[in-house]
Amino acid sequence: MDTSSELGDFLKSRRAALRPEEVGITPHPTRRRVTGLRREELAMLANVSITHYTRLEQGRANSASDGLLEAIARTLRLTDDETVHLKELARPAAATPRPAAPRVAHASASARQLLTAMTDVPALVMDRRNDVLAWNQLGHALLAGHLAPESPDTPSARPNLTKMLFLDEQYRSLYANWDDQAQLAVASLRQVAGRHPDDRSLAELVGQLTMNSDEFASRWARHPVRTCTSGVKDLRHPLVGAMELSFENLILPGTSGQRLIAYTAEPGSPSEAALRLLGSATAPVAQDNTAARRRVTSPSAR
């Protein structure tokens, strides 16, 4: 991704969202053609040179200081996440040679073992692009029971939760507050894109979603930015009905942004009962196999 154009588009979107009246400027009733702040107004309020700010917005100022960027962030009333995003776009890491092909990520054996041990907790491992690298039985049943359980094992068939949120009707219908989830998904992806501008797979994902979903494209164009490490999901599961589940993102050390996501319900709540019912309804049938093994090994069967 072109960080210089991303920086300019981000700053323009934030200027457009801030009305002059909000910062004490009385606009002329007939001479104003834009609703947001002009470049010169922002530069004046931030106490920076209009020339320097213009170069920054055009992606031609690679040595912007923390003081300059923080003054602009304060003037634009950016959130903490947006301020970090601004700095990452303004001072991207030194470019590294691009590989011939994107590297295929895999969940480690220890991560898979951990997922398997979490029998009562829906959990999955994802990469920074939200490709599912592995999930346990309950995680699969909760989020994507309509997909093959082994789909994360094949890179070309891996589910991507952001893509599914916009393009998979069954996954989309899982969320009672889809609009909020869609906005959060785009804001999280924007932040990742700012940190990894040379990620070709991420750029391809954004391109596919932009081409195939007007809802994604319109949200992406507004440049939302937000970190999402924990929260609550309000779900409407096709098998067990309504559930309110808390989730936590746990970064896996020694990986390139892989994280384990686990979902839990409040003890004693209807959501916990629904989660248990889902586990029972979708658990592999093991009782008959156990009984068969006992018949084969019992003395009477010899």
Side-chain angles (χ1 to χ4, degrees):
M1 294 185 182
D2 185 349
T3 53
S4 60
S5 63
E6 287 290 314
L7 173 60
D9 290 343
F10 177 66
L11 287 170
K12 290 172 188 175
S13 72
R14 293 306 179 269
R15 280 200 293 114
L18 195 60
R19 297 194 306 272
E21 298 90 338
E22 296 179 85
V23 293
I25 295 176
T26 302
H28 193 282
T30 60
R31 296 180 183 175
R32 194 169 195 91
R33 296 181 180 178
V34 296
T35 56
L37 287 182
R38 294 168 173 159
R39 283 180 180 172
E40 59 270 21
E41 292 170 339
L42 174 57
M44 177 191 69
L45 292 168
N47 195 28
V48 301
S49 160
I50 178 59
T51 301
H52 204 158
Y53 175 76
T54 300
R55 289 175 59 84
L56 180 67
E57 194 170 281
Q58 293 173 346
R60 297 187 293 118
N62 296 324
S63 58
S65 67
D66 277 342
L68 171 68
L69 296 175
E70 288 167 4
I72 293 171
R74 285 193 301 271
T75 304
L76 291 174
R77 302 182 179 181
L78 301 186
T79 65
D80 290 344
D81 287 337
E82 290 170 336
T83 300
V84 171
H85 185 65
L86 171 62
K87 292 179 178 180
E88 289 170 342
L89 292 178
R91 295 181 305 207
T96 56
R98 294 187 178 185
R103 200 164 105 184
V104 178
H106 296 279
S108 67
S110 58
R112 291 176 179 273
Q113 184 175 329
L114 178 59
L115 288 178
T116 301
M118 300 169 69
T119 55
D120 297 326
V121 177
L124 62 156
V125 172
M126 296 199 302
D127 66 11
R128 66 190 181 208
R129 294 176 289 269
N130 285 346
D131 284 344
V132 178
L133 306 182
W135 48 26
N136 62 10
Q137 179 269 322
L138 195 51
H140 167 250
L142 176 67
L143 299 177
H146 61 295
L147 301 182
E150 66 277 6
S151 55
D153 298 332
T154 305
S156 60
R158 277 178 180 161
N160 178 280
L161 294 193
T162 304
K163 186 185 296 186
M164 290 170 63
L165 190 63
F166 287 92
L167 303 178
D168 185 321
E169 286 298 328
Q170 287 181 263
Y171 183 71
R172 177 184 180 124
S173 65
L174 184 64
Y175 292 94
N177 53 348
W178 182 87
D179 284 331
D180 292 342
Q181 294 301 318
Q183 187 68 10
L184 179 59
V186 173
S188 299
L189 196 64
R190 262 286 178 198
Q191 188 169 63
V192 174
R195 291 175 178 172
H196 303 280
D198 293 328
D199 189 328
R200 288 197 292 163
S201 294
L202 178 58
E204 290 170 4
L205 171 63
V206 171
Q208 290 172 9
L209 284 166
T210 301
M211 293 294 295
N212 292 289
S213 171
D214 291 339
E215 292 170 314
F216 176 88
S218 63
R219 286 176 168 82
W220 186 257
R222 293 196 290 269
H223 290 259
V225 179
R226 183 179 168 189
T227 300
C228 181
T229 57
S230 62
V232 176
K233 302 289 187 184
D234 189 4
L235 306 179
R236 298 293 181 269
H237 198 276
L239 293 181
V240 298
M243 286 187 288
E244 187 177 273
L245 302 180
S246 299
F247 71 93
E248 291 286 342
N249 278 275
L250 308 174
I251 300 298
L252 298 179
T255 67
S256 298
Q258 291 184 23
R259 62 199 191 280
L260 185 147
I261 303 179
Y263 299 83
T264 58
E266 183 180 351
S269 67
S271 295
E272 184 185 46
L275 199 55
R276 288 179 178 174
L277 179 60
L278 178 64
S280 299
T282 58
V285 179
Q287 291 83 355
D288 292 343
N289 293 337
T290 301
R293 286 195 299 271
R294 287 175 178 171
R295 286 195 298 273
V296 170
T297 57
S298 65
S300 59
R302 293 174 183 172

